[in-house]
DNA sequence: ACCAATCTGCTTTTT
DNA sequence: GCAGATTGGT
């Protein structure tokens, strides 16, 4: 095989197959090409594909790698090219019994986790206001990423109400997952690691099998993923990790940047190869991106270069308002398209999904076709989750959470009280709720109120039948059976609203997903289908063949490239987000995100900001993003970026190398004020004042209302006399 | 048990 | 500004 299309460094990486290697692959440096050629080279050198493992983060990356390897050598044979989670799922499926799970376990996604935590909080009498499910889950997830169980958590945490609450929820959460024969995403990794630790035999089997290991996006691995990889590579040390510390944008989710920074410590004999030639962007874009990222302290030395021409300068515009910003970008796209660009050449990359709305409006106004990659997963839709819950029960009758989700969907007259009753019965009988209801003795079922009895019985029988026959039925048959016999479809049809119609459409779309699955798999089964589905994501649906421009967050844009990129909302408080100003580490992460965004652009890069922006329902003045100030001004045209005068009263010299160090200014936190707004509003509305009422004012003390007309209240205060107050604003309490 | 009116509370996202 | 959750009324 010839690698003449690869540069020297890339060839070096491709040719060194043995021993640990760290490939620092800058943005656009031909990373995937290098990795796929390296795999191809292994096979050409006579290495059995069965011995090769390549792990990625996303399905998309795994699919792309598989396709490209197939393109090079025709077949991927017995290699494993898959995500961390898929790998663990596969290993656990074959060995579930060894860690006390039944191999038909189901996977709980984020919203299942949230439902479960809320339920637990309620049962334990913990306020879900004080301890937000999301916050608890992120603590739990952080623990699991470090392989820290609830007991260990308790030991290392300070004695506080908070850690006690976390401990109680965490331990109950874990217990419930196990009872329901379910795992969350972290468990897939964690349990796989536990399996390796507990069972030498299993570990050795995989160590011996995978003699060559590659890990993509190594900068985004968390501690458990790191451990898994280290364990597998322990024997032979043939491990090749590829990543770019400058593109680590998932630290907030547990990615541990130290994994890549410390690789050479972990494997002292490691060879480091830097891919620094960029094939994607013109010189000016590259230089501008570099002028931003160099402000980060914790990064490996690296500077991309290109043989491309400088290209045009980056264009920056400060617009009057967010609406103006959107219409400016739409106009630019219009002009460039008339100039011969394809619509698919354009991408609008923003910091938050909420920004997409204005662009959608502006683009459709100009008649420009677009596609939005939103955070909302297709599988998060209610109707899809409902039918999936039915399907899960077919696979795993121990899943109480799914049963609770659908027992009253469609309405069967089973309210909260009845649900509690069933749960209580099930607990006494040491069964899951579904098992209790379907028990042939009928004891639990018969306690249901009359009209609920028939309907629930019908549902239970339908699911039981599907379960018994699931070996003989196609997945789509089970789907039909469930939709019809449970009455779910009928209740949607009877609804006759626009919403229910679109729900039916979504269900039909889901059926075509099932049909696709059946076609693509020889031995299709509902068990396997459910497992695959849990690991599928929406971003996989991005279609680059479409003749439309694309909008998405900068996060989702990682790994993609576009000839023309727009980055709107370059404002302190939005990008970088206001929280970044409290913490240098997260400011650095925002900066990496900015770098990722900018390096998506091949030829043209537009940055914009708006003087006035509406956020959380209020309009505020904004300040230009500090990232704009970091960009080498000789590389930009358009509006000048406002630069504060040197040596201002605060005495902080400008031109400091780290952006955050020179920043005495904390951007306006729109969210904080939006919250205050709603509280005020609700307070004002609740105070219904009439003449003669006694009131209390924080500053003026007690008084008597002498007139209440429209928005003005006149009060005679005992100590300070008569005052006229605006009723919606004044902090008045009725006594 | 169910529905509608009000209130709340908000990044980023993959698996 | 908007969606999801909660409350209060039937």
């Amino acid at each position: 095989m010839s690698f003449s299309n690869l540069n020297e460094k890339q060839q070096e990486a491709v040719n060194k197959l043995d021993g640990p290697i760290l490939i620092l692959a800058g943005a656009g440096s031909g990373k995937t090409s290098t990795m796929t050629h390296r795999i191809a080279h292994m096979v050409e050198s006579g290495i059995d594909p069965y011995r090769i493992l390549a792990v990625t983060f996303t399905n998309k990356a795994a699919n792309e790698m598989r396709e490209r390897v197939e393109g090079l050598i025709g077949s991927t044979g017995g290699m494993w090219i898959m995500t961390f989670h898929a790998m663990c799922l596969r290993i656990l499926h074959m060995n579930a019994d060894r860690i006390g799970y039944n191999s038909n376990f189901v996977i709980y996604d984020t919203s299942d986790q949230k439902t479960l935590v809320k339920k637990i909080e309620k049962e334990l009498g913990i306020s879900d206001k004080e301890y937000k499910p999301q916050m608890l889950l992120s603590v739990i997830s952080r623990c699991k990423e470090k392989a820290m169980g609830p007991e260990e958590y308790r030991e290392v945490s300070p004695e506080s109400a908070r850690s006690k609450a976390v401990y109680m929820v965490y331990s109950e959460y874990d217990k419930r997952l196990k009872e329901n024969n379910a795992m969350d995403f972290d468990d897939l990794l964690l349990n796989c690691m536990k399996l390796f630790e507990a069972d030498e035999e299993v570990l050795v089997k995989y160590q011996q099998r995978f003699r060559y290991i590659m890990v993509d996006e190594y900068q985004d691995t968390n501690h458990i993923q790191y451990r898994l990889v280290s364990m597998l590579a322990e024997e032979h040390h043939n491990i090749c990790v590829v990543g770019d510390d400058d593109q680590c944008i998932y630290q907030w989710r547990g990615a541990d940047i130290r994994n890549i920074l410390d690789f050479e410590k972990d494997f002292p004999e490691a060879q480091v190869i830097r891919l620094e030639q960029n094939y994607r962007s013109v010189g000016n874009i590259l230089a501008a991106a570099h002028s931003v990222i160099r402000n980060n302290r914790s990064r490996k030395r690296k500077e991309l270069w290109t043989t491309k021409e400088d290209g045009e300068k980056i264009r920056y515009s400060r617009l009057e308002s967010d609406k103006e910003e959107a219409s400016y970008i739409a106009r630019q796209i219009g002009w460039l398209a008339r100039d011969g660009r394809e619509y698919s050449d354009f991408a609008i990359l923003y910091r938050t999904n909420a920004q997409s709305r204005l662009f959608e409006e502006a683009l459709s106004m100009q008649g420009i076709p677009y596609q939005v990659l939103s955070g909302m997963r297709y599988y998060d839709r209610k109707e899809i989750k409902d039918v999936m819950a039915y399907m899960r029960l077919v696979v795993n009758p121990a899943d109480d959470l799914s049963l609770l989700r659908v027992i009253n969907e469609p309405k069967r007259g089973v309210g909260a009280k009845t649900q509690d009753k069933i749960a209580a019965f099930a607990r006494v009988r040491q069964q899951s709720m579904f098992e209790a209801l379907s028990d042939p003795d009928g004891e639990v079922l018969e306690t249901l109120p009359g009209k609920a009895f028939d309907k629930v019985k019908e549902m239970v029988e339908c699911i039981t039948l599907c379960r018994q026959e699931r070996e003989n039925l196609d997945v789509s048959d089970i789907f039909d059976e469930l939709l019809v016999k449970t009455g779910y479809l009928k209740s949607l049809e009877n609804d006759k609203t626009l919403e229910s119609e679109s729900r039916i459409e979504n269900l039909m779309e889901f059926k075509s997903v099932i049909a696709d699955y059946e076609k693509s798999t020889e031995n299709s089964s509902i068990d396997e289908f459910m497992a695959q589905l849990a690991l599928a994501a929406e971003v996989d649906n991005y279609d680059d063949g479409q003749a439309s421009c694309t909008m998405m967050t900068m996060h989702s844009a990682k790994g993609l490239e576009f000839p023309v990129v727009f980055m709107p909302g370059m404002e302190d408080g939005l990008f970088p987000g206001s929280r970044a100003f409290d913490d240098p580490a997260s400011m650095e992460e925002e900066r990496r995100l900015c770098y990722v965004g900018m390096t998506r652009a091949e030829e043209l890069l537009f940055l914009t900001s708006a003087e006035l922006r509406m956020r959380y329902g209020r309009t505020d003045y904004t300040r230009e993003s500090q990232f704009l100030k970091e960009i080498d001004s000789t590389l930009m045209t358009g509006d000048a970026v406002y630069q504060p005068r040197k040596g201002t009263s605060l005495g902080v010299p400008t031109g400091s190398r780290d952006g955050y160090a020179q920043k005495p200014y904390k951007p306006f936190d729109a969210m904080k004020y939006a919250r205050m707004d709603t509280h005020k509003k609700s307070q004002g509305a609740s105070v219904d004042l009439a003449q003669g009422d006694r009131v209390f004012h924080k500053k003026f003390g007690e008084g008597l209302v002498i007139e209440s007309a429209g928005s003005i209240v006149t009060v005679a205060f005992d100590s300070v006399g008569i005052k006229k107050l605006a009723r919606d604003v004044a902090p008045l309490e009725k006594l």
Side-chain angles (χ1 to χ4, degrees), chain A residues 244-488:
Chain A
D244 179 1
D245 49 306
D246 287 336
Q247 292 188 67
C248 174
I249 52 175
Y250 288 112
Q251 255 181 319
W252 54 274
R253 204 177 77 194
D256 193 340
I257 199 166
R258 280 175 305 177
N259 290 344
I260 194 163
L261 296 175
D262 292 348
F263 185 79
E264 293 158 271
K265 276 185 212 151
D266 297 328
F267 296 94
E269 79 274 36
Q271 186 176 345
V272 181
I273 297 172
R274 291 187 155 80
L275 303 182
E276 293 177 301
Q277 182 174 2
N278 175 294
Y279 296 96
R280 181 185 294 150
S281 313
V282 295
N284 281 336
I285 290 175
L286 214 52
H290 182 252
S291 66
V292 173
I293 198 67
R294 71 157 169 245
N295 292 289
N296 272 4
R297 291 175 159 187
S298 45
R299 61 186 292 262
K300 289 203 173 253
R301 192 218 89 230
K302 156 165 35 68
E303 184 161 357
L304 296 179
W305 56 275
T306 181
T307 57
K308 289 192 185 223
E309 71 281 19
D310 288 347
E312 294 196 36
K313 289 187 177 180
I314 283 103
R315 302 190 199 164
Y316 169 64
S317 303
R318 182 141 178 92
L319 287 309
E320 224 167 76
S321 69
D322 45 5
K323 283 214 177 80
E324 260 305 306
E325 179 184 51
S327 97
Y328 167 81
I329 289 179
R331 284 196 311 271
Q332 292 291 333
I333 293 177
W335 283 330
L336 289 165
R338 257 166 266 136
D339 222 39
R341 296 247 179 212
E342 301 292 326
Y343 284 123
S344 57
D345 287 354
F346 304 101
I348 304 175
L349 308 180
Y350 33 72
R351 178 64 238 264
T352 67
N353 276 311
Q355 286 167 263
S356 72
R357 226 191 72 243
L358 289 175
F359 296 108
E360 287 189 61
E361 282 165 16
L363 291 187
S364 34
M365 201 106 84
Q366 305 259 333
I368 297 167
Y370 63 84
Q371 54 179 330
V372 188
L373 296 206
S374 75
M376 171 83 167
R377 276 162 80 244
Y378 168 75
Y379 302 107
D380 278 347
R381 296 193 176 131
K382 184 180 179 304
E383 58 277 18
I384 304 296
K385 295 225 70 174
D386 286 344
V387 70
M388 275 174 65
Y390 278 118
M391 292 169 80
R392 275 185 187 173
L393 282 169
V394 171
V395 175
N396 176 28
D399 190 351
D400 283 356
L401 204 64
S402 291
L403 181 94
L404 286 169
R405 181 179 179 100
V406 293
I407 193 167
N408 204 28
E409 196 64 62
K411 301 280 166 278
R412 298 191 176 92
V414 184
K417 270 238 177 75
T418 318
Q419 289 172 21
D420 287 348
K421 202 165 72 183
I422 300 170
F425 273 115
R427 195 165 313 135
V428 173
R429 300 165 58 114
Q430 307 230 335
Q431 286 175 311
S432 75
M433 292 173 74
F434 185 83
E435 283 161 357
L437 284 170
S438 61
D439 198 304
D441 66 18
E443 267 174 12
V444 178
L445 200 57
E446 273 156 28
T447 64
L448 295 183
K451 63 179 175 188
F453 174 83
D454 292 335
K455 291 187 170 163
V456 173
K457 186 164 180 238
E458 219 173 320
M459 178 198 90
V460 169
E461 278 169 357
C462 168
I463 292 173
T464 309
L465 185 74
C466 289
R467 180 167 169 74
Q468 283 163 357
E469 295 296 313
R470 78 197 139 125
E471 307 279 318
N472 311 321
L473 291 170
D474 286 336
V475 184
S476 50
D477 293 336
I478 297 175
F479 175 84
D480 287 342
E481 184 77 11
L482 287 169
L483 271 192
V484 175
K485 290 277 173 62
T486 60
Y488 193 88

Side-chain angles (χ1 to χ4, degrees), chain A residues 19 39 116 141-142 166 174 223 239 241 253 284 297 330 403 405 415 437 488 510 536 545 558 579 666 696 720:
Chain A
I39 293 174
L116 182 54
S141 179
R142 249 355 95 74
V166 173
D174 250 13
H223 183 70
I239 177 172
V241 302
R253 204 177 77 194
N284 281 336
R297 291 175 159 187
L403 181 94
R405 181 179 179 100
L437 284 170
Y488 193 88
F510 186 58
K558 190 161 83 163
R579 300 162 106 96
K666 173 121 167 63
F696 177 75
V720 293

Side-chain angles (χ1 to χ4, degrees), chain A residues 622-684:
Chain A
T622 69
R623 185 186 265 235
E624 289 173 311
S625 169
Q626 63 169 81
F627 296 154
L628 288 169
K629 297 164 194 164
E630 292 171 10
I631 297 174
D632 184 341
S633 59
T634 62
L635 302 169
M636 281 210 285
T637 62
D639 294 340
V641 176
Y642 168 77
Q643 293 285 357
R645 292 219 330 274
K646 291 187 184 186
T648 48
S649 54
L650 287 144
V652 183
T654 51
S656 144
R657 266 177 49 97
D658 11 13
Y660 55 85
Q662 72 178 42
K663 175 226 48 65
Y665 160 80
K666 173 121 167 63
F668 188 74
D669 188 344
M671 194 164 90
K672 193 164 134 202
Y673 290 95
R675 201 177 302 134
M676 283 168 61
D677 243 20
T678 49
H679 288 323
K680 230 187 267 170
K681 237 182 266 164
S682 52
Q683 230 175 51

